[in-house]
C-alpha cells in the first residue's frame, strides 16, 4: 500500500491485516494487480480474520478521479458497509451499494482500495444511503474524515488497479454521468413514448434500460423486431440493482389480440417478485415465462419488460401460473399491480416487437397443456 501510495493518499499508514477479495468472475484482488472493469462489475466476496464479538466497517474508494495526475474528485466512494458483525458482511448495514470500476478512457490506471475498520461498538451512522445508480454523495469522499468522525481503527486492506475498457462506459453511465455508450442507451428511452408504451402500459418511461438477452443470441433493443422463435426461451435480465433491495420484474403485451383492438390488454407473459438485487432466479415466480404468440394477421405486438423497486419484501396474493396454460394472464394491468403493492414507477425497462411466425402454433399447444 505504501508502494502504491495508498498511504499517504488515503490514510496515514497501511493496516497490518490483509483482506481477501474475490469476484464472481473468478479474479482476486492481490495488492495492486491490474483487473478490468468487466471483471469487477459485480459485488465481490470479502473475508478477513474477524473478532466475532466486534463490529466492522468496510469501505472501497478510488482516490484517482478523474485521474491520478489530477484527482480533483478524490475520493470516489464505491462501496460502504457498516456495523458488520464479525465477518458476516451480508449482515451489515449497506450505506453505499457496490459500484464497479468506471475509469474514464485515457485516464490511465486508477487504484481501487478496500479498507476494513474495526468499530468501538455498534454505531449510528448518519451518512446518506446510496443505491447503485446514485451519483450524489460519492464524489469527494474522505476516508480520513470517516475514520475521525466515527473513531474507526483500520485493521485490514487490499487494492487493485484498473483502466478503461468498454464496460467502464456503461458503469459510469449508470452512475448518472452518461458517456458515449450510456448516452446511446438512455436516448432510447423516449422510444417507449414514440411506440405508445407510454401511456398504454406506464405513465412515464423509466430512467434505465434493462439488458434483456435471449439464449438464441438476440437482445432486446428498445422496439427492435424479434420473432417468436427467437424469444421462446426465458431470457437473462440485468439492471443496476441495489443488492440490499427487492425488485419486481414484469413482461407484458398490451396488444392482445391486436394493437387495433386490444380487448385483452394486457396479456402478461412473466411476473417475478421479491427478486434480491438482480438475481431473478432467487425471486418469487408468480407467472412463469411464456414467449410471444401473436395471432396470425394481427401485426406487430409490443412486448414490454419493466422492473420496479419494492418498498421491502412483499407477500403476494396472486395465484401462481405455470407456462402450460394461458388462464388468468389476459386483462392484466401492471399499473394496477404496481399501485396495489406500492411499487411506484418502474426503475428500468425495455421492449421489443414481434408478429406471427411458424412457432406460434407450438406455443398454443403448450398453453393448452398438451
Amino acid at each position: 500500500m505504501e508502494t502504491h501510495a495508498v498511504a499517504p493518499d488515503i490514510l496515514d499508514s497501511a493496516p497490518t491485516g490483509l483482506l481477501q477479495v474475490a469476484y464472481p468472475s473468478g479474479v482476486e484482488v492481490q495488492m495492486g494487480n491490474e483487473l478490468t472493469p468487466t471483471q469487477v462489475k459485480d459485488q465481490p466476496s470479502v473475508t478477513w480474520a474477524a473478532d466475532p464479538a466486534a463490529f466492522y466497517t468496510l469501505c472501497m474508494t478510488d482516490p484517482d478521479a478523474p485521474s491520478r495526475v489530477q484527482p480533483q474528485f478524490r475520493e470516489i466512494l464505491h462501496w460502504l458497509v457498516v456495523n458488520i458483525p464479525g465477518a458476516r458482511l451480508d449482515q451489515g448495514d449497506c450505506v453505499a451499494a457496490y459500484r464497479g470500476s468506471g475509469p474514464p478512457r485515457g485516464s490511465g490506471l486508477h487504484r481501487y482500495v478496500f479498507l476494513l475498520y474495526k468499530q468501538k461498538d455498534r454505531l449510528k451512522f448518519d451518512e446518506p444511503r446510496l443505491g447503485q445508480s446514485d451519483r450524489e454523495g460519492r464524489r469527494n469522499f474522505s476516508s480520513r474524515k470517516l475514520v475521525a468522525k466515527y473513531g474507526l481503527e483500520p485493521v485490514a486492506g487490499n487494492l487493485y488497479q484498473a483502466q478503461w475498457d468498454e464496460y467502464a462506459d456503461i458503469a459510469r453511465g449508470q452512475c448518472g454521468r452518461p458517456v458515449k455508450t450510456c448516452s446511446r442507451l438512455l436516448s432510447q428511452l423516449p422510444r417507449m413514448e414514440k411506440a405508445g408504451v407510454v401511456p398504454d402500459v406506464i405513465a412515464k418511461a423509466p430512467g434505465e434500460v434493462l439488458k434483456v438477452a435471449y439464449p438464441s443470441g438476440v437482445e432486446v433493443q428498445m422496439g427492435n423486431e424479434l420473432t417468436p422463435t427467437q424469444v421462446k426461451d426465458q431470457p437473462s435480465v440485468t439492471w443496476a440493482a441495489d443488492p440490499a433491495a427487492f425488485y419486481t420484474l414484469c413482461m407484458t403485451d398490451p396488444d392482445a389480440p391486436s394493437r387495433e383492438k386490444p380487448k385483452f390488454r394486457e396479456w402478461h407473459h412473466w411476473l417475478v417478485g421479491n427478486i434480491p438485487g438482480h438475481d431473478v432466479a432467487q425471486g418469487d415466480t408468480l407467472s412463469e415465462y411464456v414467449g410471444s404468440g401473436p395471432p396470425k394477421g394481427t401485426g406487430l405486438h409490443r412486448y414490454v419488460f419493466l422492473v420496479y423497486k419494492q418498498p421491502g419484501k412483499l407477500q403476494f396474493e396472486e395465484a401462481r401460473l405455470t407456462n402450460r396454460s394461458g388462464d388468468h394472464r389476459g386483462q392484466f394491468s401492471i399499473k394496477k399491480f404496481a399501485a396495489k403493492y406500492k411499487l411506484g414507477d418502474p426503475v428500468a425497462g425495455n421492449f421489443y416487437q414481434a408478429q406471427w411466425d411458424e412457432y406460434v402454433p407450438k406455443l398454443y399447444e403448450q398453453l393448452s397443456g398438451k
Side-chain angles (χ1 to χ4, degrees):
M1 283 197 163
E2 293 173 354
T3 299
H4 290 288
V6 172
D9 286 353
I10 293 181
L11 71 174
D12 295 331
S13 60
T16 57
L18 179 67
L19 281 175
Q20 302 291 332
V21 184
Y23 280 91
S25 63
V27 301
E28 295 185 0
V29 176
Q30 297 178 354
M31 277 295 172
N33 60 325
E34 185 175 347
L35 303 176
T36 69
T38 300
Q39 290 174 320
V40 300
K41 64 185 180 65
D42 299 312
Q43 181 176 308
S45 63
V46 184
T47 55
W48 61 92
D51 176 353
F55 290 93
Y56 295 88
T57 289
L58 173 66
C59 184
M60 173 188 172
T61 72
D62 169 11
D64 304 323
S67 70
R68 190 163 178 177
V69 176
Q70 296 181 319
Q72 67 189 88
F73 302 134
R74 174 177 293 172
E75 305 156 36
I76 296 291
L77 177 62
H78 282 256
W79 197 17
L80 182 60
V81 187
V82 302
N83 287 326
I84 303 167
R88 292 173 292 171
L89 180 58
D90 61 331
Q91 299 298 312
D93 179 9
C94 186
V95 174
Y98 178 82
R99 294 282 318 174
S101 301
R105 187 195 293 256
S107 65
L109 286 169
H110 289 224
R111 297 163 293 172
Y112 294 88
V113 183
F114 294 84
L115 290 171
L116 182 77
Y117 304 91
K118 190 174 184 179
Q119 302 174 190
K120 294 178 180 178
D121 201 346
R122 179 181 283 275
L123 300 173
K124 183 177 181 180
F125 288 81
D126 59 7
E127 312 306 308
R129 265 45 179 176
L130 304 175
Q132 280 189 319
S133 61
D134 291 326
R135 173 167 61 104
E136 297 301 322
R138 292 186 185 265
R139 280 186 182 181
N140 299 122
F141 176 81
S142 171
S143 294
R144 281 190 172 91
K145 289 181 180 178
L146 185 77
V147 168
K149 182 176 182 179
Y150 295 103
L152 306 176
E153 175 192 358
V155 294
N158 210 334
L159 78 142
Y160 68 86
Q161 300 181 85
Q163 57 187 317
W164 182 92
D165 76 359
E166 291 182 354
Y167 183 80
D169 286 349
I170 297 174
R172 293 176 65 232
Q174 290 172 344
C175 201
R177 289 176 55 94
V179 289
K180 185 175 181 181
T181 300
C182 284
S183 292
R184 176 178 57 80
L185 291 174
L186 292 171
S187 69
Q188 292 177 341
L189 288 170
R191 293 187 187 178
M192 283 194 162
E193 297 173 352
K194 292 179 181 178
V197 174
V198 178
D200 288 352
V201 180
I202 50 178
K204 64 178 181 178
E208 182 191 340
V209 178
L210 274 178
K211 180 177 175 62
V212 184
Y214 279 93
S216 64
V218 300
E219 294 188 1
V220 176
Q221 296 179 356
M222 279 292 169
N224 59 325
E225 185 176 347
L226 303 176
T227 68
T229 300
Q230 290 174 320
V231 300
K232 62 185 180 67
D233 300 312
Q234 181 175 309
S236 65
V237 183
T238 55
W239 63 94
D242 177 351
F246 292 94
Y247 295 84
T248 291
L249 167 67
C250 178
M251 173 189 172
T252 188
D253 170 11
D255 304 324
S258 70
R259 188 164 179 177
E260 290 71 24
K261 296 181 180 180
K263 63 179 178 178
F264 300 130
R265 173 176 294 172
E266 301 152 24
W267 204 96
H268 75 284
H269 287 250
W270 197 17
L271 187 61
V272 186
N274 288 329
I275 301 169
H278 58 67
D279 192 351
V280 177
Q282 297 302 313
D284 181 6
T285 299
L286 308 181
S287 302
E288 293 181 347
Y289 178 82
V290 172
S292 299
K296 183 180 288 191
T298 60
L300 288 168
H301 288 222
R302 297 163 294 175
Y303 295 89
V304 183
F305 293 85
L306 296 167
V307 164
Y308 295 81
K309 189 173 183 179
Q310 300 177 187
K313 195 165 187 178
L314 300 172
Q315 184 71 39
F316 293 98
E317 60 186 26
E318 277 65 29
R320 270 48 177 178
L321 306 180
T322 73
N323 60 8
R324 307 294 295 176
S325 172
D327 293 343
H328 309 297
R329 290 183 180 264
Q331 296 182 322
F332 174 81
S333 170
I334 189 58
K335 284 180 183 175
K336 291 180 179 178
F337 184 89
K340 178 179 179 180
Y341 291 104
K342 297 179 173 59
L343 303 181
D345 294 318
V347 296
N350 210 334
F351 75 106
Y352 67 88
Q353 300 181 83
Q355 56 187 318
W356 186 93
D357 76 358
E358 293 181 353
Y359 176 76
V360 173
K362 297 179 182 178
L363 178 62
Y364 291 169
E365 287 185 12
Q366 173 186 315
L367 294 176
S368 67
K370 296 181 181 179

